[in-house]
Amino acid sequence: MKLSSRGRGCCVAGSRERGPPPRSPFVHQLRLSPLEKAKIAFMTLTLFPIRLFFAAFMMLLAWPFAFIASMGSDEQELEKPLSWWRKIVDILLKAIMRMMWLAGGFHWISVKGRRALPAEAAILTVAPHSSYFDAIPVTMTFASIVMKAESKDIPVWGRAFIPGVPVQPVVLRYPNKLDTITWTWQGPGALEILWLTLCQFHNSVEIEFLPVYIPSEEERKNPVLYANNVRRVMAEALGVSVTDYTFEDCQLALAEGQLRLPSDTCLLEFAKLVRSLGLKPETLEDDLDKYAASAMKMKKEKVDLKEFSAYLEFPVSHILESMFALFDENEDGIIDIREFVIALSVVCKPSKTLETIQLAFQLYQSENGTITEEDLAHILKTAMGVSQINVTHLFRAVDEEEKGEITYDDFYRFAELHPHFAEDYLYADQMGAESGLETSSLSAPNGICTDFSPENAEDKNKPMQKKLN
């Protein structure tokens, strides 16, 4: 993919002044001082076993009530009001769960604002969802959880908003000196979070009921607009940025692979567009095989937007135009379809670096199965979604016989002997300087996705960025 200074989402090195990178919503680093470690060790041997036993007992006690509450219910009954006996079971279940939170050190809960009456707003929308302790508001309000069956297909907004009725936003805060609550993609795991939290004498939680949000006529007609506006209100109350990136983007950005994506990669933007086209993760590898076979037949031939549309078998749309712009290297209205295939391979197999490079060799190699240094530069720039990269040191290291060309077997043998070749030959002296980032910022797998917020771009309404040669 190509970057240009006129786009959004990614940025060219030096195109704007960089301050400290914003905190990634998918990375949580927990650093314990010697005193905190000593406290945790003491609590582990004393209070932790008691709390764990009591919490487990409450969970076991809650199970039969949950089983009874679900007896005889079907999908159609879920949409009807609860019967009197189910309401009683529901209240008992939530009371038991509240006792479980008490066992976890949530002795009291701070509540700000006023919970609206059901007649004012029958739906509460809660954020952020950063821990399994976020279930606390359910036990506090005795509210029922609304879960949509389509949530797996629509990651950002849901059918709480489709009816277009007023909702009350509710925000959660955990103002503890040591954040043992947050559970993210990269950081302490679920069991470690549970252990560390139960080892704190007291855990603070704050629930704030924001004013009821009444949708405008335009928002009633457009659930997406309604959901985004409510989300923005909640983000402002929490003092955090809004991001359109998803769990799948984090999987891509933090995947364990030999090519670690830099923080200013455009592959996250590309992955978002791939999903917007309707290409599903479960069928993406089959699609990749089809597109790769077609690209091999086309060889080095470049295509325009209309031909790109026919190649993908998708009609021309704003999304397709944005994707095309990512690969329009010289802004001359034509792209190299091989770069699209390489980028799609990274999205399909983020941790399988060598499989992507092998496919790229097949796309770029000459009749005798070799590629040049220039070809390798194209391959790695696209696979990493960056504007420029110097592959000279890497190419010379692979090309031991100084033939000026290498095969995939040459590259594979080199990668086997040097599993950290990217760090040694690409990132160490190249990415740190060109991206304006310290080399140490790339120590986490595939960077840390530093710029997740589209609001940080100069103009989110401009076309997508592209790499510059």
Side-chain angles (χ1 to χ4, degrees), residues 156-157 161 223-233 242 244:
V156 178
W157 49 82
F161 293 99
V224 174
L225 175 65
Y226 184 18
N228 285 336
N229 288 343
V230 172
R231 180 179 64 162
R232 192 175 303 278
V233 168
V242 173
D244 286 332

Side-chain angles (χ1 to χ4, degrees), residues 269-281 283-284 287 291 305 308-309 311-324 326-327 340 344:
E269 195 69 48
F270 173 72
K272 178 181 171 184
L273 292 171
V274 167
R275 290 194 303 272
S276 298
L277 279 180
L279 295 173
K280 304 295 183 182
T283 63
L284 213 48
D287 294 325
Y291 294 138
L305 178 60
F308 184 60
S309 172
Y311 167 80
L312 292 181
E313 298 179 351
F314 281 98
V316 175
S317 63
H318 174 69
I319 295 173
L320 197 69
E321 290 175 350
S322 298
M323 182 178 287
F324 184 88
L326 281 172
F327 299 94
F340 166 81
L344 189 63

Side-chain angles (χ1 to χ4, degrees), residues 285-302:
E285 290 199 30
D286 292 336
D287 294 325
L288 174 64
D289 293 337
K290 178 183 69 174
Y291 294 138
S294 179
M296 288 178 188
K297 294 179 181 178
M298 299 169 65
K299 297 184 178 179
K300 298 181 179 180
E301 180 182 350
K302 294 193 175 183

Side-chain angles (χ1 to χ4, degrees), residues 23 28-30 174 176-183 188 193:
R23 181 176 179 268
H28 176 44
Q29 295 180 338
L30 190 59
Y174 298 95
N176 299 293
K177 182 179 180 181
L178 182 65
D179 182 7
T180 64
I181 303 292
T182 302
W183 181 22
I193 286 293

Side-chain angles (χ1 to χ4, degrees), residues 8-11 16 18 21-25 241-243 245 262-265 268-269 437 448-458 465:
R8 71 172 177 89
C10 308
C11 51
R16 59 173 174 159
R18 286 183 181 269
R23 181 176 179 268
S24 166
S241 60
V242 173
T243 172
Y245 291 111
S263 59
D264 54 357
T265 178
L268 292 176
E269 195 69 48
L437 298 174
I448 58 171
C449 320
T450 53
D451 192 355
F452 276 88
S453 175
E455 293 182 349
N456 289 338
E458 295 177 1
Q465 288 190 342

Side-chain angles (χ1 to χ4, degrees), residues 33-223:
S33 67
L35 179 59
E36 288 167 339
K37 291 180 180 179
K39 289 180 179 178
I40 290 174
F42 174 77
M43 295 290 281
T44 299
L45 298 175
T46 55
L47 192 57
F48 172 72
I50 300 173
R51 283 181 165 178
L52 184 62
F53 173 81
F54 190 73
F57 176 76
M58 289 294 108
M59 285 289 291
L60 291 174
L61 184 62
W63 181 84
F65 286 94
F67 178 77
I68 293 172
S70 62
M71 287 180 59
S73 61
D74 54 31
E75 189 171 340
Q76 294 180 347
E77 189 177 350
L78 292 176
E79 300 180 2
K80 300 178 182 179
L82 293 177
S83 59
W84 65 269
W85 68 271
R86 290 190 192 278
K87 289 182 180 179
I88 293 176
V89 173
D90 193 48
I91 291 174
L92 289 174
L93 180 61
K94 289 169 182 173
I96 292 172
M97 297 302 290
R98 179 62 186 96
M99 293 298 294
M100 186 182 72
W101 302 131
L102 183 65
F106 296 91
H107 303 124
W108 60 86
I109 298 173
S110 175
V111 179
K112 291 185 176 182
R114 179 186 69 86
R115 182 188 173 187
L117 299 174
E120 298 175 282
I123 298 176
L124 307 179
T125 175
V126 183
H129 180 35
S130 58
S131 173
Y132 40 64
F133 296 110
D134 297 341
I136 290 177
V138 178
T139 61
M140 282 294 296
T141 61
F142 293 130
S144 296
I145 298 175
V146 177
M147 182 69 68
K148 63 182 183 359
E150 297 81 1
S151 59
K152 66 180 184 297
D153 298 322
I154 310 177
V156 178
W157 49 82
R159 295 189 177 274
F161 293 99
I162 286 180
V165 298
V167 299
Q168 182 171 34
V170 183
V171 296
L172 304 177
R173 301 183 184 89
Y174 298 95
N176 299 293
K177 182 179 180 181
L178 182 65
D179 182 7
T180 64
I181 303 292
T182 302
W183 181 22
T184 60
W185 179 265
Q186 182 175 306
L191 294 179
E192 187 176 356
I193 286 293
L194 177 63
W195 164 57
L196 293 174
T197 300
L198 293 184
C199 285
Q200 305 304 308
F201 180 75
H202 172 70
N203 293 295
S204 298
V205 59
E206 181 181 285
I207 304 175
E208 181 177 1
F209 293 93
L210 301 179
V212 173
Y213 192 103
I214 301 176
S216 65
E217 189 61 31
E218 183 181 4
E219 290 171 328
R220 292 179 191 274
K221 297 177 181 178
N222 188 341

Side-chain angles (χ1 to χ4, degrees), residues 297-356:
K297 294 179 181 178
M298 299 169 65
K299 297 184 178 179
K300 298 181 179 180
E301 180 182 350
K302 294 193 175 183
V303 300
D304 58 21
L305 178 60
K306 185 177 180 180
E307 292 168 324
F308 184 60
S309 172
Y311 167 80
L312 292 181
E313 298 179 351
F314 281 98
V316 175
S317 63
H318 174 69
I319 295 173
L320 197 69
E321 290 175 350
S322 298
M323 182 178 287
F324 184 88
L326 281 172
F327 299 94
D328 189 358
E329 181 175 350
N330 300 316
E331 300 184 14
D332 54 4
I334 56 175
I335 66 171
D336 188 334
I337 209 69
R338 296 175 296 181
E339 294 184 353
F340 166 81
V341 175
I342 294 172
L344 189 63
S345 179
V346 176
V347 171
C348 290
K349 309 170 184 179
S351 61
K352 299 178 180 179
T353 298
L354 292 180
E355 288 188 19
T356 294

